[in-house]
Each structure stands twice: as structure tokens, then as C-alpha cells.
Amino acid sequence: TSIIIEGHCDERGTTEYNLALGDRRAESVKIFLTNLGLSVTRMTTISYGEEKPLDPGLTEYAWSKNRRAHFIIE
């Protein structure tokens, strides 16, 4: 079993900034899970930045839902 950790953020900021932010978010989750005992070799990370919003709204509530890490279990 492998885990893909997707890093997402809201639409504010430049594309480059948001991709870097998504990457930092995904890597932080990977470190957290590694500290809980999951094997680092089973996890990969990817950043989607602002490209795949969970909520397309333009409110603080929508933006807060878009700042997230999403897991794909394979």
C-alpha cells in the first residue's frame, strides 16, 4: 500500500507561491505521519497549489476548506 499526499491551498497568491505552499503542506504531513511510525518509503507528495479547489467560492470559509492535505491510498 502506498500513500500520495496532495498539498492544496486557496487561490490567493501567485501560482509559484501556491505550488510551493502546497508542497510545504504535503511535506509537513509526510513528516507528521513518519513520526507516527508510517514508513517514509510508502509516501509520496505532490502539490496542486490552487488548481483543485474543494470549494470554488470566494469567501474566507471557502478558502479555509481549500487549504488542506488530501490522501490517495493505492
Side-chain angles (χ1 to χ4, degrees), residues 3-59:
I3 302 168
I4 301 171
I5 306 166
E6 299 176 344
H8 299 269
C9 59
D10 61 45
E11 65 182 21
R12 298 173 292 176
T14 65
T15 299
E16 294 80 17
Y17 176 81
N18 287 337
L19 285 171
L21 183 60
D23 185 57
R24 287 194 306 272
R25 181 167 283 127
E27 287 294 329
S28 293
V29 171
K30 183 178 177 181
I31 291 167
F32 178 80
L33 293 174
T34 300
N35 289 337
L36 289 177
L38 272 70
S39 173
V40 70
T41 60
R42 295 176 50 202
M43 294 182 280
T44 57
T45 61
I46 187 167
S47 174
Y48 286 109
E50 64 194 61
E51 299 302 316
K52 293 185 173 186
L54 190 61
D55 186 330
L58 300 175
T59 64

Side-chain angles (χ1 to χ4, degrees), residues 56-73:
L58 300 175
T59 64
E60 184 59 46
Y61 179 71
W63 293 329
S64 70
K65 290 187 345 186
N66 292 331
R67 296 186 297 265
R68 69 193 193 283
H70 188 86
F71 300 93
I72 305 295
I73 312 292

